[in-house]
Amino acid sequence: MMEKTLEEYQSWVSQIRAALIDAFGAPEWREPLPAIDELVSTILSQNTNDTNRDVAFFALKAAFPDWQSVMAAKTEDVIDAIRPAGLANQKGPCIQNALHVIAEHNHGEINLEFLHAMSRDEAREWLISLNGVGPKTAAIVLQFAMGIPAFPVDTHIYRVTGRIGLRPSKMSVEKAHPYLEERIPEEAYYDLHLNLIRLGREVCGARKWHCYRCPIQDLCEFDNKNMTPD
């Protein structure tokens, strides 16, 4: 990856962003979930697909009338409700522990509004202190549910940004979060996050990458481009 000044890097990001919007469109802002719902949904999403996550999330909501009830429930009942998401034996206790910690911090209330009184970094660190919550989950809650700018790095974004050259190729995913967040303009977080995920799913796959039909092939610094149609 060629060394770039911040100005050059952000100009490059702007070109990538524009090309992805031309190819995929500008993602519409979705109605945000309540922050606790987003937190639980994102914990459920770990190591599974969106369909299984949603089935488990709605099963949990159907089984219990509110988050207080989930917190107070027998752990095995929570586990049974979320089995479609996989790793239920790990995710169930994590969800209940998170709800307990939030309630204890917030005078018995289960919401995350108190994070608005913190800086972004403080809010992120508070969320990461919860068992089962890493940088990606914290960033998703901040960006999508609380309107606090953050740039989540999931598997697709980690892979694609490494290939494009937006981050050093050997950088860990933990270091990729602050690296990208510090360099990508905040106004680009939402659409760039979603369009890079789409690029990773449809074009720049883990095992196969189809550079010949990539909308940013001329902006990508990947050395091993596949320009041969299947």
Side-chain angles (χ1 to χ4, degrees):
M1 180 175 66
M2 294 176 60
E3 193 68 29
K4 292 178 174 63
T5 66
L6 181 60
E7 183 178 358
E8 290 170 337
Y9 184 97
Q10 291 188 337
S11 174
W12 181 37
V13 168
S14 179
Q15 295 174 68
I16 291 170
R17 181 189 183 196
L20 291 174
I21 289 174
D22 283 345
F24 300 142
E28 293 185 7
W29 282 83
R30 67 168 170 83
E31 188 69 26
L33 292 173
I36 297 295
D37 290 44
E38 190 73 74
L39 174 64
V40 172
S41 175
T42 308
I43 291 172
L44 290 172
S45 75
Q46 295 166 6
N47 300 108
T48 193
N49 58 46
D50 292 351
T51 299
N52 290 341
R53 173 204 64 198
D54 290 345
V55 170
F57 179 75
F58 290 118
L60 184 64
K61 296 277 280 187
F64 301 97
D66 52 38
W67 294 120
Q68 292 279 356
S69 300
V70 174
M71 180 179 70
K74 293 180 179 178
T75 300
E76 54 264 34
D77 292 339
V78 175
I79 288 171
D80 284 343
I82 65 171
R83 285 198 187 282
L87 299 176
N89 289 337
Q90 289 79 43
K91 293 176 183 179
C94 281
I95 289 168
Q96 286 188 299
N97 176 73
L99 297 175
H100 275 289
V101 173
I102 291 165
E104 288 175 5
H105 183 86
N106 202 31
H107 310 292
E109 297 292 324
I110 300 180
N111 66 64
L112 291 171
E113 290 305 306
F114 61 88
L115 294 180
H116 283 294
M118 302 180 185
S119 70
R120 176 177 66 188
D121 289 345
E122 289 171 339
R124 187 201 326 274
E125 289 306 312
W126 196 94
L127 287 168
I128 290 174
S129 73
L130 300 171
N131 290 340
V133 175
K136 183 193 79 170
T137 297
I140 287 173
V141 172
L142 295 176
Q143 171 69 28
F144 291 99
M146 304 199 70
I148 299 172
F151 191 75
V153 178
D154 75 344
T155 301
H156 297 293
I157 289 179
Y158 180 68
R159 178 180 69 252
V160 171
T161 54
R163 285 183 183 158
I164 295 170
L166 287 173
R167 62 165 178 84
S169 61
K170 295 183 179 180
M171 175 176 281
S172 70
V173 67
E174 290 79 15
K175 291 183 178 179
H177 276 86
Y179 183 91
L180 293 168
E181 201 167 79
E182 289 167 6
R183 288 162 176 78
I184 295 171
E186 288 184 1
E187 64 270 17
Y189 285 175
Y190 187 85
D191 63 82
L192 191 62
H193 169 82
L194 293 174
N195 278 340
L196 284 174
I197 289 175
R198 184 169 175 183
L199 185 73
R201 286 174 172 167
E202 298 181 7
V203 179
C204 195
R207 293 183 176 85
K208 287 187 177 181
W209 43 97
H210 309 284
C211 307
Y212 58 88
R213 57 182 176 88
C214 177
I216 59 168
Q217 60 176 261
D218 294 337
L219 297 165
C220 176
E221 296 182 351
F222 189 40
D223 290 331
N224 191 25
K225 287 190 174 79
N226 170 27
M227 302 304 293
T228 304
D230 293 339

